[in-house]
Amino acid sequence: YVYIRTGGSLAATYGLSAFWHGFYPGYYMFFMSVPILTACERIGRKKLTPRFSTGKSWDAWRVVCMLSTSFVVEYLVCPFQLLAFDWGIANWKSHMFFGHILCAAFYAVVSSMPTPKKKEV
């Protein structure tokens, strides 16, 4: 409902989710990082899936997408579990902020690629 009412704002939707969970900073760190991952998933689905997917339910491309998404979510969720801001930052810093950097680089590279044309049926 919030997503529709805000015109598709991921930040507003995830911000409300963080507020719903409580006032610990870790909730806000997690939920404000998830829109970056969601944007990467959307652009990857739009520009890369038509190039690599075979259309089967369990092809190699889908497995790679599932594993990479799970890997980045595991990185992002740590502050949610740790709750404190300094603990969350310390955790991300110990991983050299790879999830955020990886998502930003992925988005920059893939957004510069041309969108494949849809196949006519």
Side-chain angles (χ1 to χ4, degrees):
Y1 180 77
V2 174
Y3 181 77
I4 294 168
R5 295 286 293 186
T6 60
S9 171
L10 291 174
T13 304
Y14 289 129
L16 182 66
S17 295
F19 180 74
W20 178 266
H21 279 81
F23 297 108
Y24 286 106
Y27 297 147
Y28 294 89
M29 292 169 69
F30 169 69
F31 281 113
M32 291 296 105
S33 296
V34 173
I36 301 165
L37 180 60
T38 304
C40 289
E41 288 177 321
R42 288 180 178 178
I43 200 162
R45 191 175 305 116
K46 179 180 178 183
K47 294 192 177 196
L48 296 178
T49 298
R51 297 173 198 266
F52 298 112
S53 181
T54 62
K56 297 178 184 175
S57 61
W58 282 100
D59 60 2
W61 174 248
R62 292 179 194 271
V63 172
V64 167
C65 290
M66 181 185 65
L67 291 175
S68 60
T69 301
S70 296
F71 191 60
V72 174
V73 168
E74 287 296 323
Y75 159 81
L76 291 175
V77 80
C78 286
F80 186 96
Q81 297 168 331
L82 295 172
L83 300 177
F85 180 79
D86 54 343
W87 292 351
I89 290 293
N91 179 273
W92 282 346
K93 187 177 180 181
S94 73
H95 292 96
M96 297 180 284
F97 297 94
F98 84 89
H100 291 89
I101 293 168
L102 186 66
C103 285
F106 178 87
Y107 191 85
V109 169
V110 175
S111 63
S112 67
M113 296 172 62
T115 303
K117 295 179 182 175
K118 294 185 178 187
K119 296 177 185 175
E120 293 185 25
V121 179

